[in-house]
Amino acid sequence: RTMQAPVAPSPTHLHRVAPSKLRHRSAAGRSAAGRRTPRTTAAVSQDAAATAAAMTNSPAVAPFEFMTASRVVFGCGTSKRVPSLVKDLMQLNQCADKPALVVTGKSDRFSAPLVEALKAEGIESVVYHCPGGEPTTATAEAAIALASSNDCGSVIAIGGGTPVDTGKCVAAVLTNGGETPDLYDFLEVVGRARPLTTRCAPFVAVPTTAGPGAEVTKNSVLEAGDRKVSMRHQFMLPELVVIDPELTLSMPRDVTAHTGLDALTQCVEPYVCNAANPLVDAISLAGITAGARSLRAACENPLDIVAREDMCLCSYYGGLSLANAKLGAVHGFSGTLGGLLHAPHGAICAALLPHCCTVNVAALKGWFGAKEPDLAERYLARYETVARTVTGDPNATVEDGVAWIVRLVKDCGVPGLGEFGLKEGDFDEVVAKSKESSSMKGNPVPLSDEELKTMLRKAL
């Protein structure tokens, strides 16, 4: 048998470097005996500088990173695999002789069958039921105390965003908290914000709602009094995520609407933010497509499994997107408003989304466009892509997209923020606090206080 000679790479894929420089490298890189000599760091740096200088244009893609959970299992019926998957994970991490902490919501609808299935696999467990509402520092502290007192070696969260965010905190503090674990050692803003130095206890997330995307993010967001604070580190990404759309079939209409609009927001904001990247672009647009196609259907017919699958994908893609790009003014406000109003996070995002789009687009076409016309044009092109994606109309304008989102929020029956207790007298404090949030810094336009108040006023 004969072998073909290797095909030379196309010149278009090579950096253009002068031939004299190539000959110089060849001579300098070999000793008299013909062997290649080690290259010094300085020599490598000089080569990189020479190559960069020879490039015919500037890179079009800014450097970026992408992080997510170690393993994701998606599909209808996949939750039945959780016990065996957990057993494999615990054996791999050498903690199968310790009980698992199961973090769940108020009811035992999901936790009771899981506990029995784990027991059949030889895994003992202790259950912590989160009270209703958003996750709080008190909830996390109670779960940490329960896990510590029972010497738990792993954590399984099954439920909505509250159990998942709580479970992430528990898994982190179990291995980083020492003899007397203190959650506030690791919390930002209200705590000491210590970084994690040890990998978390094995953490498994099984979401039963389609919205937060917390199962694939590296942080937990907790209410601390009248504000929301975070604990974050890449070690907090779960080792295993199981997303089974069948678990979302029992969500009531209002929860479907709120979480679904949260998921859609978490796809739209990263796509139009000031730190987008090609991988997030592709993922977030797929999420926008899925959410726009199926949110109304999921609200109208909760047993429509195809719509539920789409919304689970939208939630998953939104989590991936926000974890690897930035968000914007909707989430910039949501933390402050959540602490003030104690309203569901998804409902806050849903009420703000169309008005955020309206204010941002007005700024891009107005003062920001006059100041930075090229940049404004690029952001408006992204809003136009969103408009054409949600409407399904290849000729849709930015205004068509905003109008479509306004109708969607109305059709989903989302109340204004006034119904949750927001008053115009709160605006100054809300704006002042929200402007400092990391999410606000991802907004495509640096909005003025008056523009931010306009957004709140429209959302009342």
Short mmCIF file of all heavy atoms in Angstrom, two decimals, residues 5-54:
data_model
loop_
_atom_site.label_atom_id
_atom_site.label_comp_id
_atom_site.label_asym_id
_atom_site.label_seq_id
_atom_site.Cartn_x
_atom_site.Cartn_y
_atom_site.Cartn_z
N ALA A 5 1.42 11.74 0.12
CA ALA A 5 2.19 12.76 0.84
C ALA A 5 1.22 13.69 1.53
O ALA A 5 0.13 13.96 1.02
CB ALA A 5 3.05 13.53 -0.14
N PRO A 6 1.56 14.17 2.73
CA PRO A 6 0.67 15.10 3.43
C PRO A 6 0.45 16.37 2.63
O PRO A 6 1.35 16.87 1.96
CB PRO A 6 1.41 15.40 4.74
CG PRO A 6 2.83 15.07 4.47
CD PRO A 6 2.82 13.95 3.47
N VAL A 7 -0.78 16.86 2.67
CA VAL A 7 -1.12 18.09 1.94
C VAL A 7 -0.66 19.28 2.75
O VAL A 7 -0.93 19.39 3.94
CB VAL A 7 -2.65 18.17 1.71
CG1 VAL A 7 -3.00 19.45 0.99
CG2 VAL A 7 -3.11 16.96 0.91
N ALA A 8 0.03 20.19 2.12
CA ALA A 8 0.52 21.39 2.81
C ALA A 8 -0.65 22.29 3.17
O ALA A 8 -1.61 22.39 2.41
CB ALA A 8 1.49 22.14 1.92
N PRO A 9 -0.59 22.93 4.33
CA PRO A 9 -1.68 23.84 4.71
C PRO A 9 -1.76 25.02 3.75
O PRO A 9 -0.75 25.44 3.19
CB PRO A 9 -1.31 24.29 6.12
CG PRO A 9 0.16 24.08 6.22
CD PRO A 9 0.46 22.89 5.35
N SER A 10 -2.96 25.52 3.56
CA SER A 10 -3.14 26.68 2.68
C SER A 10 -2.42 27.89 3.24
O SER A 10 -2.46 28.14 4.44
CB SER A 10 -4.65 26.98 2.56
OG SER A 10 -4.86 28.25 2.02
N PRO A 11 -1.78 28.67 2.38
CA PRO A 11 -1.08 29.87 2.86
C PRO A 11 -2.00 30.83 3.59
O PRO A 11 -1.56 31.62 4.41
CB PRO A 11 -0.53 30.48 1.57
CG PRO A 11 -0.47 29.36 0.59
CD PRO A 11 -1.59 28.45 0.94
N THR A 12 -3.28 30.77 3.28
CA THR A 12 -4.20 31.71 3.93
C THR A 12 -4.35 31.41 5.41
O THR A 12 -4.86 32.23 6.16
CB THR A 12 -5.59 31.65 3.26
OG1 THR A 12 -6.08 30.32 3.36
CG2 THR A 12 -5.51 32.05 1.81
N HIS A 13 -3.92 30.22 5.84
CA HIS A 13 -4.03 29.87 7.25
C HIS A 13 -2.74 30.11 8.01
O HIS A 13 -2.62 29.73 9.16
CB HIS A 13 -4.45 28.41 7.40
CG HIS A 13 -5.84 28.14 6.91
ND1 HIS A 13 -6.10 27.40 5.79
CD2 HIS A 13 -7.04 28.57 7.37
CE1 HIS A 13 -7.40 27.35 5.58
NE2 HIS A 13 -8.00 28.05 6.53
N LEU A 14 -1.75 30.70 7.36
CA LEU A 14 -0.48 30.96 8.02
C LEU A 14 -0.31 32.45 8.24
O LEU A 14 -0.78 33.27 7.45
CB LEU A 14 0.69 30.46 7.14
CG LEU A 14 0.70 28.96 6.81
CD1 LEU A 14 1.84 28.66 5.86
CD2 LEU A 14 0.86 28.14 8.09
N HIS A 15 0.38 32.80 9.34
CA HIS A 15 0.74 34.20 9.53
C HIS A 15 1.76 34.58 8.48
O HIS A 15 2.66 33.82 8.15
CB HIS A 15 1.36 34.41 10.93
CG HIS A 15 0.37 34.22 12.03
ND1 HIS A 15 -0.77 34.97 12.14
CD2 HIS A 15 0.37 33.36 13.09
CE1 HIS A 15 -1.43 34.60 13.21
NE2 HIS A 15 -0.77 33.62 13.80
N ARG A 16 1.63 35.75 7.94
CA ARG A 16 2.58 36.20 6.93
C ARG A 16 3.83 36.74 7.62
O ARG A 16 3.79 37.76 8.28
CB ARG A 16 1.96 37.29 6.05
CG ARG A 16 0.84 36.76 5.16
CD ARG A 16 0.23 37.87 4.33
NE ARG A 16 -0.72 37.36 3.37
CZ ARG A 16 -2.00 37.13 3.64
NH1 ARG A 16 -2.45 37.36 4.85
NH2 ARG A 16 -2.80 36.66 2.72
N VAL A 17 4.94 36.02 7.50
CA VAL A 17 6.20 36.42 8.11
C VAL A 17 7.26 36.47 7.01
O VAL A 17 7.30 35.60 6.13
CB VAL A 17 6.63 35.43 9.21
CG1 VAL A 17 7.90 35.89 9.88
CG2 VAL A 17 5.52 35.27 10.24
N ALA A 18 8.12 37.47 7.02
CA ALA A 18 9.14 37.62 5.99
C ALA A 18 10.05 36.40 5.93
O ALA A 18 10.44 35.86 6.96
CB ALA A 18 9.97 38.87 6.27
N PRO A 19 10.42 35.91 4.70
CA PRO A 19 11.29 34.74 4.57
C PRO A 19 12.60 34.87 5.32
O PRO A 19 13.11 33.90 5.86
CB PRO A 19 11.52 34.65 3.05
CG PRO A 19 10.32 35.32 2.45
CD PRO A 19 9.97 36.42 3.40
N SER A 20 13.19 36.09 5.37
CA SER A 20 14.45 36.27 6.07
C SER A 20 14.31 35.93 7.55
O SER A 20 15.20 35.37 8.17
CB SER A 20 14.96 37.71 5.91
OG SER A 20 14.01 38.61 6.45
N LYS A 21 13.13 36.26 8.12
CA LYS A 21 12.90 35.95 9.53
C LYS A 21 12.76 34.45 9.73
O LYS A 21 13.22 33.90 10.72
CB LYS A 21 11.63 36.66 10.04
CG LYS A 21 11.79 38.18 10.11
CD LYS A 21 10.53 38.82 10.64
CE LYS A 21 10.70 40.34 10.72
NZ LYS A 21 9.47 41.00 11.21
N LEU A 22 12.15 33.76 8.75
CA LEU A 22 12.03 32.32 8.87
C LEU A 22 13.40 31.65 8.82
O LEU A 22 13.68 30.73 9.56
CB LEU A 22 11.15 31.79 7.73
CG LEU A 22 9.65 32.17 7.82
CD1 LEU A 22 8.93 31.70 6.57
CD2 LEU A 22 9.01 31.57 9.05
N ARG A 23 14.31 32.12 7.93
CA ARG A 23 15.64 31.54 7.85
C ARG A 23 16.41 31.80 9.14
O ARG A 23 17.14 30.95 9.64
CB ARG A 23 16.39 32.15 6.65
CG ARG A 23 15.90 31.64 5.30
CD ARG A 23 16.91 31.97 4.23
NE ARG A 23 17.07 33.40 4.04
CZ ARG A 23 16.33 34.13 3.22
NH1 ARG A 23 15.37 33.57 2.51
NH2 ARG A 23 16.52 35.42 3.09
N HIS A 24 16.23 33.00 9.70
CA HIS A 24 16.91 33.35 10.95
C HIS A 24 16.46 32.41 12.08
O HIS A 24 17.28 31.92 12.84
CB HIS A 24 16.62 34.80 11.31
CG HIS A 24 17.16 35.19 12.67
ND1 HIS A 24 18.49 35.35 12.91
CD2 HIS A 24 16.50 35.41 13.84
CE1 HIS A 24 18.66 35.68 14.19
NE2 HIS A 24 17.46 35.72 14.77
N ARG A 25 15.15 32.14 12.14
CA ARG A 25 14.65 31.25 13.18
C ARG A 25 15.24 29.86 13.02
O ARG A 25 15.62 29.20 13.97
CB ARG A 25 13.12 31.14 13.10
CG ARG A 25 12.39 32.37 13.57
CD ARG A 25 10.91 32.04 13.61
NE ARG A 25 10.14 33.28 13.56
CZ ARG A 25 8.84 33.29 13.41
NH1 ARG A 25 8.18 32.18 13.27
NH2 ARG A 25 8.18 34.43 13.39
N SER A 26 15.29 29.38 11.77
CA SER A 26 15.80 28.03 11.53
C SER A 26 17.24 27.90 11.97
O SER A 26 17.65 26.93 12.59
CB SER A 26 15.66 27.69 10.05
OG SER A 26 16.17 26.42 9.79
N ALA A 27 18.06 28.91 11.66
CA ALA A 27 19.48 28.86 12.02
C ALA A 27 19.67 28.98 13.51
O ALA A 27 20.50 28.29 14.12
CB ALA A 27 20.23 29.98 11.30
N ALA A 28 18.91 29.87 14.13
CA ALA A 28 19.09 30.10 15.57
C ALA A 28 18.55 28.94 16.39
O ALA A 28 18.96 28.72 17.52
CB ALA A 28 18.37 31.40 15.98
N GLY A 29 17.61 28.18 15.80
CA GLY A 29 16.96 27.15 16.57
C GLY A 29 17.70 25.83 16.59
O GLY A 29 17.29 24.88 17.24
N ARG A 30 18.84 25.72 15.90
CA ARG A 30 19.56 24.45 15.86
C ARG A 30 21.01 24.64 16.27
O ARG A 30 21.63 25.66 15.99
CB ARG A 30 19.50 23.86 14.45
CG ARG A 30 18.08 23.52 14.01
CD ARG A 30 18.09 22.85 12.64
NE ARG A 30 16.73 22.59 12.22
CZ ARG A 30 16.03 21.52 12.56
NH1 ARG A 30 16.59 20.62 13.34
NH2 ARG A 30 14.81 21.34 12.14
N SER A 31 21.61 23.64 16.89
CA SER A 31 23.02 23.68 17.28
C SER A 31 23.86 23.20 16.11
O SER A 31 23.35 22.79 15.07
CB SER A 31 23.24 22.77 18.50
OG SER A 31 23.02 21.43 18.12
N ALA A 32 25.19 23.24 16.29
CA ALA A 32 26.09 22.79 15.23
C ALA A 32 25.87 21.32 14.92
O ALA A 32 26.11 20.85 13.81
CB ALA A 32 27.55 23.01 15.65
N ALA A 33 25.43 20.55 15.88
CA ALA A 33 25.19 19.12 15.67
C ALA A 33 23.86 18.86 14.99
O ALA A 33 23.52 17.72 14.71
CB ALA A 33 25.24 18.40 17.02
N GLY A 34 23.09 19.92 14.70
CA GLY A 34 21.83 19.75 14.00
C GLY A 34 20.65 19.50 14.91
O GLY A 34 19.54 19.28 14.45
N ARG A 35 20.88 19.52 16.22
CA ARG A 35 19.77 19.31 17.14
C ARG A 35 19.14 20.63 17.55
O ARG A 35 19.85 21.63 17.68
CB ARG A 35 20.26 18.58 18.39
CG ARG A 35 20.73 17.16 18.11
CD ARG A 35 21.21 16.50 19.38
NE ARG A 35 21.68 15.14 19.12
CZ ARG A 35 22.27 14.39 20.03
NH1 ARG A 35 22.46 14.85 21.26
NH2 ARG A 35 22.66 13.17 19.71
N ARG A 36 17.84 20.59 17.78
CA ARG A 36 17.14 21.82 18.18
C ARG A 36 17.49 22.16 19.62
O ARG A 36 17.43 21.32 20.50
CB ARG A 36 15.62 21.65 18.05
CG ARG A 36 14.84 22.94 18.29
CD ARG A 36 13.38 22.75 17.96
NE ARG A 36 13.18 22.46 16.55
CZ ARG A 36 13.13 23.41 15.61
NH1 ARG A 36 13.31 24.67 15.95
NH2 ARG A 36 12.94 23.08 14.37
N THR A 37 17.86 23.41 19.86
CA THR A 37 18.21 23.86 21.20
C THR A 37 16.96 24.43 21.88
O THR A 37 16.05 24.89 21.21
CB THR A 37 19.30 24.94 21.15
OG1 THR A 37 18.84 26.01 20.32
CG2 THR A 37 20.58 24.37 20.59
N PRO A 38 16.92 24.40 23.20
CA PRO A 38 15.75 24.94 23.91
C PRO A 38 15.56 26.42 23.58
O PRO A 38 16.52 27.18 23.46
CB PRO A 38 16.09 24.73 25.39
CG PRO A 38 17.15 23.67 25.39
CD PRO A 38 17.92 23.84 24.13
N ARG A 39 14.28 26.82 23.45
CA ARG A 39 13.96 28.22 23.17
C ARG A 39 13.72 28.94 24.49
O ARG A 39 13.03 28.42 25.38
CB ARG A 39 12.67 28.33 22.34
CG ARG A 39 12.60 27.41 21.14
CD ARG A 39 13.20 28.00 19.87
NE ARG A 39 12.78 29.34 19.58
CZ ARG A 39 11.57 29.67 19.09
NH1 ARG A 39 10.67 28.73 18.89
NH2 ARG A 39 11.27 30.91 18.82
N THR A 40 14.26 30.10 24.65
CA THR A 40 14.04 30.87 25.87
C THR A 40 12.71 31.58 25.79
O THR A 40 12.14 31.78 24.70
CB THR A 40 15.15 31.91 26.07
OG1 THR A 40 15.06 32.87 25.00
CG2 THR A 40 16.53 31.27 26.06
N THR A 41 12.20 31.99 26.97
CA THR A 41 10.94 32.73 27.01
C THR A 41 11.06 34.02 26.21
O THR A 41 10.14 34.43 25.50
CB THR A 41 10.55 33.04 28.47
OG1 THR A 41 10.46 31.82 29.18
CG2 THR A 41 9.24 33.80 28.53
N ALA A 42 12.22 34.67 26.31
CA ALA A 42 12.43 35.92 25.58
C ALA A 42 12.35 35.69 24.08
O ALA A 42 11.76 36.49 23.34
CB ALA A 42 13.79 36.52 25.96
N ALA A 43 12.95 34.56 23.63
CA ALA A 43 12.92 34.27 22.18
C ALA A 43 11.50 34.01 21.71
O ALA A 43 11.10 34.48 20.63
CB ALA A 43 13.80 33.06 21.89
N VAL A 44 10.74 33.27 22.50
CA VAL A 44 9.35 33.01 22.14
C VAL A 44 8.56 34.32 22.09
O VAL A 44 7.76 34.55 21.18
CB VAL A 44 8.71 32.03 23.15
CG1 VAL A 44 7.21 31.90 22.88
CG2 VAL A 44 9.38 30.67 23.07
N SER A 45 8.79 35.20 23.06
CA SER A 45 8.09 36.49 23.08
C SER A 45 8.44 37.33 21.87
O SER A 45 7.59 37.99 21.27
CB SER A 45 8.43 37.26 24.36
OG SER A 45 8.01 36.54 25.50
N GLN A 46 9.75 37.30 21.49
CA GLN A 46 10.17 38.05 20.30
C GLN A 46 9.49 37.50 19.05
O GLN A 46 9.05 38.26 18.18
CB GLN A 46 11.68 37.98 20.17
CG GLN A 46 12.44 38.80 21.22
CD GLN A 46 13.94 38.56 21.17
OE1 GLN A 46 14.42 37.75 20.37
NE2 GLN A 46 14.67 39.27 22.00
N ASP A 47 9.41 36.16 18.95
CA ASP A 47 8.74 35.56 17.80
C ASP A 47 7.28 35.96 17.75
O ASP A 47 6.74 36.26 16.68
CB ASP A 47 8.84 34.03 17.88
CG ASP A 47 10.23 33.54 17.50
OD1 ASP A 47 11.03 34.37 17.02
OD2 ASP A 47 10.50 32.34 17.68
N ALA A 48 6.61 35.94 18.91
CA ALA A 48 5.20 36.31 18.95
C ALA A 48 5.01 37.76 18.54
O ALA A 48 4.07 38.09 17.80
CB ALA A 48 4.64 36.08 20.36
N ALA A 49 5.92 38.63 19.00
CA ALA A 49 5.82 40.05 18.64
C ALA A 49 6.03 40.23 17.15
O ALA A 49 5.34 41.02 16.50
CB ALA A 49 6.84 40.85 19.44
N ALA A 50 7.02 39.48 16.58
CA ALA A 50 7.29 39.59 15.15
C ALA A 50 6.09 39.11 14.34
O ALA A 50 5.71 39.72 13.33
CB ALA A 50 8.53 38.77 14.80
N THR A 51 5.47 38.00 14.79
CA THR A 51 4.32 37.47 14.08
C THR A 51 3.15 38.45 14.14
O THR A 51 2.48 38.70 13.14
CB THR A 51 3.88 36.13 14.70
OG1 THR A 51 4.98 35.21 14.63
CG2 THR A 51 2.70 35.54 13.96
N ALA A 52 2.92 39.03 15.32
CA ALA A 52 1.84 39.99 15.46
C ALA A 52 2.06 41.20 14.57
O ALA A 52 1.12 41.73 13.96
CB ALA A 52 1.71 40.41 16.93
N ALA A 53 3.32 41.64 14.49
CA ALA A 53 3.62 42.80 13.66
C ALA A 53 3.40 42.51 12.18
O ALA A 53 3.13 43.42 11.39
CB ALA A 53 5.07 43.25 13.89
N ALA A 54 3.52 41.22 11.80
CA ALA A 54 3.39 40.86 10.39
C ALA A 54 1.95 40.61 9.98
O ALA A 54 1.67 40.44 8.80
CB ALA A 54 4.23 39.62 10.11
#
